[in-house]
Amino acid sequence: MTFPFPASDLLVILPELVLTQLALGILLWATVVRKGREATLAWVSIASLAAAAVLIPVAARLSGPLPRAAFGGMLTLDRFSIFFKVLVLLATAVTILFSLKFVGTSSYPGGEYYALLLFSAVGMLFMASGTHLVSIYIALELMALSQYVLAGYFKRETKSVEAAAKYFVLGAFSSGVLLYGISLVYGAAGSLDLGDVARSLAATPRSSLLGVGIVLTASGMLFKIASAPFHVWAPDVYEGAPTPISAFFSVGPKLAAYAIFARIFFVGFGPRAGDWAPVLAASAALTMVVGNVGALLQQNVKRMLGYSSIGHAGYALLGLLAYASGTDARGENFGLWAILIYLAAYLLMTLGAFGLVVLLEAKGYATESVDDFNGLSKKNPLAAAAMLVFLLSLAGIPPTAGFVGKYFLFSAAMKAGWPSLALLAVLMSAVSLFYYFRIARAMYLVEGEGELRWREEPAVAAAVAVCVAGTLLLGILPQPFVALAKSCLLP
Amino acid sequence: MNVPLWTIPALPLAGFLLNGAVALRAGARRAARASEAWRAAHPDAAHDDDHGGGDAHAAHDGHASHGSADDHGSGHGHGGAALPRGQRLFHGVVGVASCGLAAVAAFANLVPYVKASLASPEGIAPVVQHAYLWMAAGGLSVDIAFRLDPLSAMMLAFVTLVGTLIHLYSVGYMQEEEGYGRFFAYLNLFMFAMLTLVLANSLPMLFIGWEGVGLCSYLLIGYYYDKDFAVAAGKKAFVTNRVGDFGMILGIFGIISLFGTADFSFLDKARHAMVNGGSPVTVYAVCLLLFLGACGKSAQFPLYVWLPDAMAGPTPVSALIHAATMVTAGVYLVARCSAVYVLAPDAMTLVAWIGAGTAVLAATIGLAQNDIKKVLAYSTVSQLGYMFLACGVGAFGVGMFHVFTHAFFKACLFLGSGSVIMAMHHEQDMRAMGGLAPKIRQTFLTMMIATLAISGIPPLAGFFSKDQILGAAFATGHTVLYVVGLGTAGLTAFYMFRLARMTFYGPFQGTKEAEGHVHESPATMTVPLWVLATGALFAGFLGVPAALGGRNTFVRFLEPSLARVPEHEVPHSTEYLLMGLSVAVALVGIGLAWRWYGQATATSAVPSAAADAFYRKTGALGPIVANKWNVDEGIEALVLSPFRKLGTFLWRGFDALFIDGIVNASAFLVELTGDLVRFFTTGNVRNYALAFSLGVLAFALFVLVR
C-alpha cells in the first residue's frame, strides 16, 4: 500500500498523535483503576498534555520551515496555530487540576472523564491548525462530541443531564447549519481548501449563494463562541455542567473556535470581508449588550460568569472586525494580535475566577450563589485578594491583563472605523463593573454567616496562583506578550 | 564594587514586604486572641454580633492604652501595648538593615561617581541603567530605568544617610507603640518610593515615586488612626496633594507634547531649545503645571496648609518625610526641569515670588506658635520657600545646596524635638516646658547646634546655603526679593531662639510630677542626633563661596545636571557686605527673642511682657498672625464652601432629579430587556432552537437584501 502523503507529514501532527495515543491508553488503564486511586490518572493526563506541549517545538523543528502545510493542505503548522495549541493545552491542564478533588470525591468514575478531556483537547489542537473546511469540521466535532458527554458527566444530577441534552441538541443543530453553509460555499467556490476558496472568491462576483453560505458558516461559528443571537444555550450549560467543566467550556472551546473563526474568515473569506463584517458587527453589539445586561441580575455565580463570558465574546468580535478592515498606516494589522492578547488574558482571568468557585463549592454541585462569597476577605484574605484581581481584570481595570486586552481591542476597533462599537463596548464594561463588584462587595463589605465551606485543594490553589501571577504580569508588563502575539499572526 | 542601581530602592521594598507580612500576621493573631478573650468575658453575647463585635472591640482594646500615653511609666517599654521584645527587635533590625543596606549600595555607586565627576572639569555623563521596557505606545516608550547624575547623586546621598539615621532613631522612639511593625513597614515603603523618585530616569517613573511618597505620607500622618485629628490631617494632606498632582500629571503630558519623550533626554532637547512648535501647550504653561505639583508636595502657598497639620504623625515621620526628604521633592522637580524653566523666564519669576512669599508668610506664623513641632513645621515651609526663591532667580544649584544642608539641621531639630517630647511625656506645648537644658544635655547641645545652623550663624551649614540664596537674589537684581529674604532670615532666627529659650532655659513651667519624670533618650536616639548635628556643623563647607576663599565644590558638582544661567558677577566687597548684613539681621532676631522670652516674669499664659506688648502694639496684626493669617479660613470661604454649595446643588438639583431619572429610566429599560431575554431564555430547548433559526434567518435576509 502506498501512503498518499510524505511520511514527514506525520511529524507535523506529532503532538496530536502522541496525545491521542496517551488518551487511549488512559481510557484502557481506567478500566482497572479502583475508585479512589484515580488521582494517578489525572496526573498522567497532565503529564500527557505536558508531553504534547513539549512536542510542539519538536514538531515545528523537525517538519521543516513554518508555515508547514501537510496532508495536501488539510492542516498547516504555523505560529498562529502554535499560539492556540499552547493556550488550549494550558486550559485543559488547569481544568484537570480543578477536577482532581471534584471528580475524585464524587461518585462517578474519573477515568473516562480525563480521557474525554484529552480527546477534546486533541480536537482543539487540530482545529488550531486546520486549513481545510472538512478537517476543521471534523476536528470541531471531535471536540464537541467529547464535550457533550462531559457536560452530562454527573449523570444522576438533573441539571447536568439537562445541560448536556441542550448542549447536544443545539450543538447538532448548529453543526447542521455550519455544514449547510460549508456546502453552499463549496458550491460557489468549487473548493474547500481555504487558500483556494480565497482565490476563487476574489475572482468571482458577489452572489447570493455565496452570501448565504458565508452567513450560515458565520452563524455556526457564532454559536460556538456563544455570541448573540446564538448564545441562549450558554448560561444553562455553564450553570448545569460540573464546575470544572464550566470553566473548561468558557475557555477551551472558545479559544479553538476563535482560531478557526479567524482562519476561515480571514484566510478563506477575506476577499468578501465587506459582506460578513456588518453581520459580525451586529452580532458583536447584540452580544455585548445581552451578555452584560443578562449578567446584571444573576444570583448564581456560574450563570453570571456564563453571561459575562458572552459579553467577553462580544468584545473579542471587535478584534475580528478590526482585522477585516485591513491594516493601518504602518502596515500593521492590529485586530488579530489584539484578539490573541485578549484571549490569553481571558483564559487567565476566567479560569482563575472559576477556580475560586471550585474552591468554594460546598456540596460540589450548583449551589454557588453570590452570597457564598460573603465575608471571604476575613475568612481567607488571600483567596479574596485573588478573586479581586480576577474581577478587576474581567472588568478591565488596570494594572491587569483584562485592561491591556480591552485596551488593544477597543483601540483596534477605533482605528478600524467602528467607533460606535468601541463606545458601546466601553459603556458595557461600565455596566459589567456592577455585577463583578457585587462579588467584591460580598467578599469585603458583607459579614459572612457561619463557617466557610472551604475545600483544601492545593492543586486548585496552585492553578489559581498561576492565574493571578499571569493576570498581573500581563497587565504590568504587556510588551513581551504584544511582541509575541505580533509574531503569531496569520499570513 | 559594582552594585546595580535598582538594588537601592529594592532593598527597602524587601524590608517593607518582610515587615509588613510579619506585622500583618502578628496583628491577625492578636486580634483573634483579643476576640477570644472578649468572647470569654461575654459568654451571654448574642451569636449574631459575635464576629463583628469581637473584632471592633479588639481594635478598641489595643488602642485604648496607647491613646492614654500618660501612664506609660518611665517610657522604657513598660507600656501595656508594646510588642514583645523579640518581635520589636525583628521589626527594628529589618527596618534599619534594609535602609542601611540601601545606603551602602547607594554609596558604593556614589563614591566612584562623585570622584570621577569632580576629577573632570566638565563633569561626566550620567549613568543610566535600563531595567526593562515598561510601556510603548505609538512613538512614546517609557523604560523602567535608573539614572545617576550629579543631581540624583546628591539627593541619594542625603536621603539614604538621613533615612538610615531616622530609622535608627525610630527604634528607640517608637518602642512603646503597638503598631511598631506597621510603622517600620510604612517607613521602608517610603524609602522605596523616595529612592525611586530620586533615581528615576523619566517623568512617569518619577511620578510613581512621587505618588508613593504621597501615599506613605498619608499613611504615616494617620498613623494614630484612632485619633480624629490624625485622620483628618492625613486626609487634608492627601487631598491637598491631589490638587498639586493634577498639575503634575498635566505637566508631564505637556512635556511629552513639547519634546516627544518623557525620559530625561528631554532636558538635552530643552537645552538646545528644540521645542515642538506645533504643540498645543506652551513652555510657560508646562512650567506652571509642574510648579503646581511642586507646590503641593513641597508645601508652597497656597497649598502649604497640609504640612503643619501633618505634624499629627509620629515625630520621626515629621523629620524624615515632612522636613528632610519628601517635601524637597518639589524643589528637586523644578531643579531637574531647570532646562525647561529657563525657557520661560516669567514662570521662573513666579516661582521666585511664590517662594519668597511663602517664606515670609510661614515665618511670621511661626512666630506665634506654641506647639514645638508646629514651629518647626512652619519653619520648614519657610525654608522650602527659600529654596524655590533660589530656583526662581536661576540659582538652581544653590537651591539644591540649601535642600542638602536643610536636611541635616531640620532633621536634627525634629529629632531633637521628638526627644524633648518624649522627655516631657508627649507634651508638645512649649509653654509647659522650660529649663530642660541640664536634664537632657545631649538633646540640648545637638538642638542648639542645629538652631544656630538654621539661623545662619557662620560657619555652620545654614549660613553658607542661605547666604548664597540671598546673594543670588541680590546679584540678579531682584532687590525686593532680597529684602524679603533678608527679613525672613531675621524672623527665622527669632522664632528658633524663641523655641530654644522657652524649651531649654528659665524655670520649668510644668507640674512638679512631670519635672521629676524628665529623662534623656536612649542611645539609638542620641547617636543619630549627634551625627545630624555634625552634618549641621560641617555640611556647609562643601559649598564655600569664592568670596570666602572656597571653590563652591557643591554647586560646581551639580552644574552638569542643571540649566546654565548667565552669571552675575558681584564684587567681593559687596558680597562681604551682604554676608555681614544677614549675620547682623540674624543676631538682631536672636537678641530680640532672648530679651522678650527670657524675662523672669514669663508665665505659661503670658510668655513675657514684651511679647505681650508686641501683640498689643501691632494691633489687629498679632491675632491674625497667631491665627495663621486666616489662610485656612480663606480657603474654606473661597474654595471649599463654594464647592460644597455646588456639590449640594449637584446632589439635590442635578443628581436627584436628572441622573436618578436617567438611572430609573435605564433600570426600567434593563428590566424590559431582561423580560425580553427571559422570554427567549425559557430553558426550553425548542425555544432556543427557534431563537437560533430566527437569528440565522435575519442574517441571511440581511445579506440577500443588500
Side-chain angles (χ1 to χ4, degrees):
Chain A
M1 188 186 108
T2 53
F3 194 61
F5 303 105
S8 67
D9 278 8
L10 287 175
L11 284 174
V12 172
I13 56 164
L14 189 61
E16 287 88 346
L17 282 179
V18 170
L19 191 58
T20 313
Q21 296 308 317
L22 289 169
L24 287 171
I26 286 166
L27 194 58
L28 285 179
W29 188 13
T31 55
V32 295
V33 171
R34 268 187 296 122
K35 179 81 196 159
R37 316 208 97 167
E38 285 161 345
T40 326
L41 290 173
W43 291 113
V44 172
S45 306
I46 290 177
S48 313
L49 292 166
V54 170
L55 285 175
I56 291 174
V58 175
R61 173 160 288 232
L62 291 182
S63 59
L66 299 182
R68 167 75 157 85
F71 304 106
M74 297 294 273
L75 298 168
T76 300
L77 187 66
D78 50 13
R79 291 182 66 92
F80 175 81
S81 68
I82 290 175
F83 183 91
F84 277 97
K85 283 177 201 227
V86 171
L87 289 190
V88 159
L89 291 174
L90 182 65
T92 315
V94 170
T95 307
I96 294 177
L97 284 179
F98 286 173
S99 313
L100 266 174
K101 270 261 171 72
F102 203 93
V103 177
T105 55
S106 74
S107 54
Y108 302 97
E112 291 96 346
Y113 178 91
Y114 298 123
L116 282 166
L117 270 175
L118 295 190
F119 286 135
S120 173
V122 171
M124 292 189 275
L125 294 182
F126 276 121
M127 282 164 81
S129 50
T131 46
H132 189 280
L133 286 170
V134 167
S135 63
I136 288 175
Y137 178 75
I138 292 173
L140 179 71
E141 285 303 302
L142 173 56
M143 172 192 84
L145 285 171
S146 316
Q147 284 170 355
Y148 302 143
V149 184
L150 283 171
Y153 199 77
F154 286 11
K155 60 188 174 194
R156 286 185 293 276
E157 306 282 349
T158 341
K159 272 198 158 179
S160 181
V161 177
E162 186 188 328
K166 279 179 188 162
Y167 196 20
F168 175 67
V169 171
L170 293 171
F173 191 67
S174 82
S175 290
V177 172
L178 179 64
L179 268 184
Y180 189 40
I182 290 176
S183 70
L184 293 183
V185 169
Y186 181 65
S191 171
L192 288 172
D193 181 90
L194 290 179
D196 292 342
V197 168
R199 277 184 286 282
S200 162
L201 292 197
T204 53
R206 273 189 75 213
S207 70
S208 35
L209 176 69
L210 184 65
V212 173
I214 289 177
V215 160
L216 293 184
T217 316
S219 302
M221 293 282 96
L222 290 171
F223 174 86
K224 288 295 171 197
I225 63 168
S227 284
F230 314 112
H231 66 284
V232 273
W233 58 276
D236 284 4
V237 172
Y238 289 170
E239 187 189 354
T243 311
I245 293 302
S246 307
F248 184 58
F249 282 179
S250 61
V251 177
K254 285 207 183 178
L255 289 175
Y258 263 107
I260 57 173
F261 205 158
R263 215 188 270 275
I264 294 175
F265 279 74
F266 298 159
V267 178
F269 303 163
R272 282 278 173 272
D275 282 351
W276 49 260
V279 171
L280 256 52
S283 177
L286 199 58
T287 307
M288 288 189 285
V289 172
V290 165
N292 287 305
V293 173
L296 279 180
L297 298 173
Q298 302 302 328
Q299 270 305 315
N300 182 299
V301 176
K302 277 163 74 179
R303 215 175 156 79
M304 180 195 286
L305 287 174
Y307 271 109
S308 118
S309 87
I310 293 175
H312 285 279
Y315 303 141
L317 278 176
L318 296 182
L320 292 184
L321 277 174
Y323 191 90
S325 305
T327 54
D328 69 2
R330 274 179 296 168
E332 199 172 75
N333 199 310
F334 32 78
L336 190 58
W337 61 260
I339 297 185
L340 296 188
I341 291 177
Y342 188 74
L343 289 179
Y346 173 78
L347 175 135
L348 291 168
M349 62 204 188
T350 307
L351 280 182
F354 267 108
L356 281 153
V357 178
V358 172
L359 275 174
L360 210 66
E361 302 249 285
K363 299 169 212 154
Y365 211 72
T367 56
E368 46 295 290
S369 78
V370 175
D371 295 339
D372 288 349
F373 282 87
N374 284 354
L376 185 62
S377 68
K378 291 234 173 74
K379 295 165 186 165
N380 193 329
L382 276 181
M387 190 67 185
L388 189 64
V389 169
F390 298 133
L391 293 173
L392 287 172
S393 186
L394 285 164
I397 309 284
T400 57
F403 167 75
V404 173
K406 272 191 187 166
Y407 171 76
F408 286 131
L409 271 182
F410 296 177
S411 65
M414 289 293 291
K415 285 187 210 160
W418 298 94
S420 51
L421 280 181
L423 183 68
L424 182 68
V426 171
L427 285 177
M428 284 302 140
S429 294
V431 170
S432 76
L433 269 174
F434 176 80
Y435 59 84
Y436 290 132
F437 274 73
R438 272 175 60 206
I439 298 182
R441 178 177 166 276
M443 291 194 303
Y444 282 93
L445 300 179
V446 181
E447 289 289 336
E449 281 174 23
E451 285 304 299
L452 177 66
R453 294 171 292 184
W454 191 258
R455 296 151 67 105
E456 283 297 327
E457 292 200 53
V460 180
V464 168
V466 170
C467 292
V468 170
T471 305
L472 291 176
L473 191 69
L474 192 52
I476 295 167
L477 262 184
Q479 282 309 322
F481 294 91
V482 172
L484 178 72
K486 281 183 179 172
S487 74
C488 292
L489 300 185
L490 286 167
Chain B
M1 191 158 52
N2 197 2
V3 185
L5 288 173
W6 62 264
T7 52
I8 302 171
L11 280 163
L13 183 64
F16 157 70
L17 293 174
L18 206 57
N19 262 335
V22 172
L24 264 183
R25 209 175 156 73
R29 277 220 200 103
R30 251 199 322 278
R33 265 205 304 280
S35 127
E36 203 98 315
W38 185 84
R39 228 171 278 181
H42 302 76
D44 51 342
H47 178 77
D48 281 358
D49 54 9
D50 212 16
H51 193 81
D55 244 25
H57 198 75
H60 182 74
D61 264 356
H63 291 279
S65 47
H66 128 140
S68 55
D70 295 334
D71 55 12
H72 271 192
S74 68
H76 277 286
H78 299 302
L83 297 184
R85 203 180 158 69
Q87 228 170 66
R88 247 187 315 139
L89 200 65
F90 173 84
H91 289 309
V93 167
V94 170
V96 174
S98 63
C99 190
L101 286 173
V104 171
F107 277 88
N109 279 297
L110 278 173
V111 172
Y113 184 81
V114 173
K115 267 189 190 157
S117 179
L118 285 176
S120 90
E122 283 294 300
I124 57 173
V127 177
V128 178
Q129 295 178 0
H130 295 263
Y132 58 86
L133 177 67
W134 180 22
M135 52 187 171
L140 180 75
S141 72
V142 181
D143 279 347
I144 294 292
F146 299 91
R147 178 192 186 93
L148 190 66
D149 66 356
L151 196 56
S152 60
M154 165 247 147
M155 292 291 286
L156 194 59
F158 81 82
V159 167
T160 52
L161 188 66
V162 174
T164 308
L165 289 172
I166 291 174
H167 274 71
L168 190 63
Y169 176 93
S170 309
V171 169
Y173 187 82
M174 301 300 289
Q175 59 190 351
E176 291 165 30
E177 304 293 344
E178 193 202 1
Y180 197 73
R182 180 164 57 95
F183 179 81
F184 275 103
Y186 289 166
L187 218 53
N188 282 161
L189 184 64
F190 169 77
M191 288 305 293
F192 159 70
M194 188 70 206
L195 291 170
T196 308
L197 191 162
V198 167
L199 286 170
N201 187 41
S202 65
L203 284 176
M205 190 170 154
L206 183 147
F207 191 67
I208 298 179
W210 186 273
E211 288 301 310
V213 291
L215 171 70
C216 296
S217 162
Y218 163 75
L219 290 172
L220 285 163
I221 293 169
Y223 176 76
Y224 300 115
Y225 58 81
D226 52 344
K227 303 225 174 98
D228 286 342
F229 67 88
V231 173
K235 212 187 287 176
K236 188 169 176 180
F238 200 77
V239 171
T240 314
N241 269 297
R242 290 283 76 64
V243 178
D245 292 346
F246 153 78
M248 171 89 176
I249 293 184
L250 291 181
I252 294 175
F253 291 156
I255 290 279
I256 294 170
S257 168
L258 280 176
F259 300 105
T261 174
D263 68 37
F264 288 154
S265 62
F266 77 78
L267 296 171
D268 295 326
K269 290 190 177 176
R271 281 204 187 92
H272 301 106
M274 285 159 60
V275 179
N276 170 17
S279 167
V281 290
T282 62
V283 178
Y284 181 68
V286 169
C287 288
L288 288 192
L289 287 169
L290 289 176
F291 182 58
L292 183 60
C295 275
K297 195 64 71 194
S298 292
Q300 293 300 291
F301 183 84
L303 299 180
Y304 71 87
V305 287
W306 64 271
L307 186 59
D309 286 23
M311 298 301 125
T315 308
V317 171
S318 311
L320 178 61
I321 302 183
H322 305 124
T325 57
M326 180 188 87
V327 289
T328 62
V331 188
Y332 170 75
L333 177 71
V334 172
R336 175 59 83 191
C337 299
S338 56
V340 183
Y341 273 87
V342 293
L343 297 179
D346 291 346
M348 283 182 59
T349 309
L350 185 81
V351 171
W353 277 95
I354 294 271
T358 310
V360 68
L361 182 83
T364 52
I365 298 173
L367 297 177
Q369 295 296 311
N370 288 317
D371 182 323
I372 185 166
K373 283 180 74 181
K374 284 276 165 73
V375 176
L376 293 176
Y378 281 107
S379 159
T380 305
V381 175
S382 169
Q383 297 297 314
L384 289 165
Y386 268 118
M387 299 167 199
F388 280 108
L389 168 60
C391 292
V393 299
F396 298 102
V398 175
M400 293 312 289
F401 187 35
H402 198 54
V403 167
F404 186 75
T405 57
H406 177 257
F408 289 99
F409 56 70
K410 188 49 67 65
C412 183
L413 283 170
F414 262 114
L415 296 189
S417 80
S419 183
V420 168
I421 291 166
M422 205 155 148
M424 293 293 300
H425 281 283
H426 301 269
E427 175 61 77
Q428 303 193 2
D429 194 330
M430 296 189 297
R431 285 170 300 190
M433 300 177 185
L436 294 178
K439 292 173 181 135
I440 45 173
R441 195 115 209 115
Q442 318 257 346
T443 308
F444 163 68
L445 285 173
T446 50
M447 266 187 94
M448 284 314 287
I449 292 171
T451 305
L452 285 169
I454 194 177
S455 304
I457 302 300
L460 281 77
F463 165 74
F464 291 105
S465 54
K466 194 190 287 183
D467 208 63
Q468 287 187 58
I469 294 176
L470 295 178
F474 186 83
T476 49
H478 296 88
T479 320
V480 182
L481 292 176
Y482 169 75
V483 173
V484 170
L486 188 66
T488 307
L491 295 174
T492 309
F494 179 87
Y495 65 66
M496 283 315 299
F497 271 83
R498 171 176 173 268
L499 182 151
R501 191 71 187 75
M502 287 173 81
T503 311
F504 292 115
Y505 293 94
F508 190 78
Q509 304 285 3
T511 59
K512 267 272 160 287
E513 196 201 345
E515 189 173 7
H517 283 311
V518 174
H519 61 280
E520 181 59 284
S521 303
T524 54
M525 294 167 64
T526 51
V527 169
L529 278 174
W530 275 111
V531 178
L532 290 169
T534 313
L537 269 174
F538 299 114
F541 293 119
L542 291 174
V544 179
L548 293 176
R551 298 173 52 216
N552 217 344
T553 318
F554 195 94
V555 176
R556 198 167 56 82
F557 169 67
L558 287 181
E559 257 165 18
S561 293
L562 302 171
R564 293 204 178 75
V565 182
E567 305 252 345
H568 296 266
E569 282 302 325
V570 178
H572 281 185
S573 55
T574 315
E575 277 197 50
Y576 295 136
L577 189 70
L578 294 178
M579 283 178 203
L581 205 56
S582 57
V583 172
V585 166
L587 289 175
V588 168
I590 293 171
L592 216 54
W594 212 258
R595 242 182 85 78
W596 285 7
Y597 290 89
Q599 288 174 352
T601 53
T603 65
S604 60
V606 185
S608 76
D612 222 33
F614 168 70
Y615 285 121
R616 258 182 280 120
K617 270 179 211 155
T618 49
L621 200 60
I624 290 181
V625 168
N627 201 24
K628 311 166 201 165
W629 293 101
N630 294 331
V631 169
D632 277 323
E633 286 76 6
I635 292 179
E636 167 69 36
L638 290 177
V639 182
L640 298 184
S641 171
F643 259 98
R644 219 169 281 131
K645 279 182 189 139
L646 181 69
T648 311
F649 164 73
L650 288 178
W651 164 38
R652 290 263 163 75
F654 190 71
D655 248 33
L657 293 178
F658 186 65
I659 299 284
D660 283 7
I662 293 183
V663 170
N664 289 336
S666 56
F668 176 73
L669 204 69
V670 168
E671 211 172 305
L672 211 66
T673 318
D675 283 343
L676 204 69
V677 170
R678 214 167 300 142
F679 175 75
F680 284 106
T681 317
T682 50
N684 191 326
V685 74
R686 269 171 300 184
N687 295 6
Y688 289 1
L690 177 66
F692 193 126
S693 315
L694 288 177
V696 174
L697 200 63
F699 282 160
L701 278 177
F702 168 78
V703 172
L704 288 177
V705 171
R706 76 194 278 267

